[in-house]
């Protein structure tokens, strides 16, 4: 399985997704530091939100095979600038979290991730499990199992 690093704002669903991917019981746990497992690197949301800490994320990508940018479906704005993935020397996928939220807008968030440069975007709910199997299969064999696939 390829190693995935999860990046996104506070409460984007990074730790919950990590727990779901590893088959653990979901429980709230505030990530205070970069947390390494055998297949996943979970980063604190503050690293994405704070420009002084954000530079450290680039260094952590060297430890992973794939970078996952996460945005919750109910976010009011895009935390990632356009074309930001072009500065990464790893494959970058987008992950729309919380697609089960009634106030969410997964289409808008997927568009933001594609503007950031993500060619492959997954839509998931760590609570219901929707889309989780697609990410696992993608990490296992690298084939595109996203709900939307590539764009022209």
């Amino acid at each position: 399985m390829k190693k995935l690093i999860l990046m996104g704002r506070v409460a984007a669903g990074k730790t919950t997704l990590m727990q779901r991917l590893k088959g653990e019981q979901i429980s709230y746990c505030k990530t205070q530091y970069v947390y390494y497992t055998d297949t996943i690197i979970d980063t604190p949301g503050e690293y994405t939100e704070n420009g002084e800490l954000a530079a450290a994320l680039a260094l952590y990508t060297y430890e992973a095979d794939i970078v996952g940018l996460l945005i919750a479906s109910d976010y009011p704005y895009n935390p990632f600038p356009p074309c930001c993935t072009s500065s990464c020397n790893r494959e970058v996928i987008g992950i729309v979290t919380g697609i089960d939220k009634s106030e969410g807008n997964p289409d808008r968030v997927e568009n933001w991730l594609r503007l950031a440069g993500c060619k492959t975007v997954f839509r998931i709910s760590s609570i219901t499990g929707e889309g989780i199997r697609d990410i696992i299969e993608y990490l296992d064999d690298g084939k595109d199992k996203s709900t939307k696939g590539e764009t022209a």
Side-chain angles (χ1 to χ4, degrees), residues 52-110:
E52 293 177 10
L53 297 173
L57 289 176
L59 297 175
Y60 289 113
T61 63
Y62 288 104
E63 302 292 325
D65 301 306
I66 298 176
V67 175
L69 299 183
L70 282 75
I71 305 176
S73 68
D74 61 348
Y75 274 2
Y77 64 90
N78 182 359
F80 300 110
C83 302
C84 68
T85 64
S86 64
S87 63
C88 186
N89 67 352
R90 300 287 187 266
E91 178 183 358
V92 183
I93 61 172
I95 303 171
V96 180
T97 61
I99 61 170
D100 55 316
K101 296 179 179 181
S102 61
E103 66 279 5
N105 187 341
D107 290 334
R108 177 183 65 193
V109 172
E110 179 173 339

Side-chain angles (χ1 to χ4, degrees), residues 7-152:
M7 299 180 183
R9 289 186 56 225
V10 171
K14 299 175 301 297
T15 301
T16 306
L17 174 57
M18 180 189 72
Q19 292 170 346
R20 186 68 173 204
L21 289 172
K22 294 188 72 54
E24 299 173 351
Q25 182 176 349
I26 295 176
S27 63
Y28 177 76
C29 178
K30 172 70 181 102
T31 304
Q32 298 290 325
Y33 56 90
V34 177
Y35 181 74
Y36 288 80
T37 71
D38 54 341
T39 56
I40 301 170
I41 303 170
D42 186 12
T43 63
E46 290 81 3
Y47 280 47
T48 300
E49 296 175 3
N50 182 324
E52 293 177 10
L53 297 173
L57 289 176
L59 297 175
Y60 289 113
T61 63
Y62 288 104
E63 302 292 325
D65 301 306
I66 298 176
V67 175
L69 299 183
L70 282 75
I71 305 176
S73 68
D74 61 348
Y75 274 2
Y77 64 90
N78 182 359
F80 300 110
C83 302
C84 68
T85 64
S86 64
S87 63
C88 186
N89 67 352
R90 300 287 187 266
E91 178 183 358
V92 183
I93 61 172
I95 303 171
V96 180
T97 61
I99 61 170
D100 55 316
K101 296 179 179 181
S102 61
E103 66 279 5
N105 187 341
D107 290 334
R108 177 183 65 193
V109 172
E110 179 173 339
N111 186 49
W112 289 344
L113 288 164
R114 292 196 184 280
L115 288 172
C118 300
K119 292 186 174 107
T120 301
V121 175
F122 295 91
R123 294 181 180 205
I124 63 130
S125 169
S126 292
I127 303 305
T128 68
E130 185 177 347
I132 300 297
R133 173 66 33 208
D134 294 333
I135 293 177
I136 291 170
E137 290 175 4
Y138 188 84
L139 294 173
D140 279 344
D141 63 18
K143 294 182 182 164
D144 188 356
K145 305 284 186 184
S146 66
T147 55
K148 294 282 187 170
E150 300 281 333
T151 58

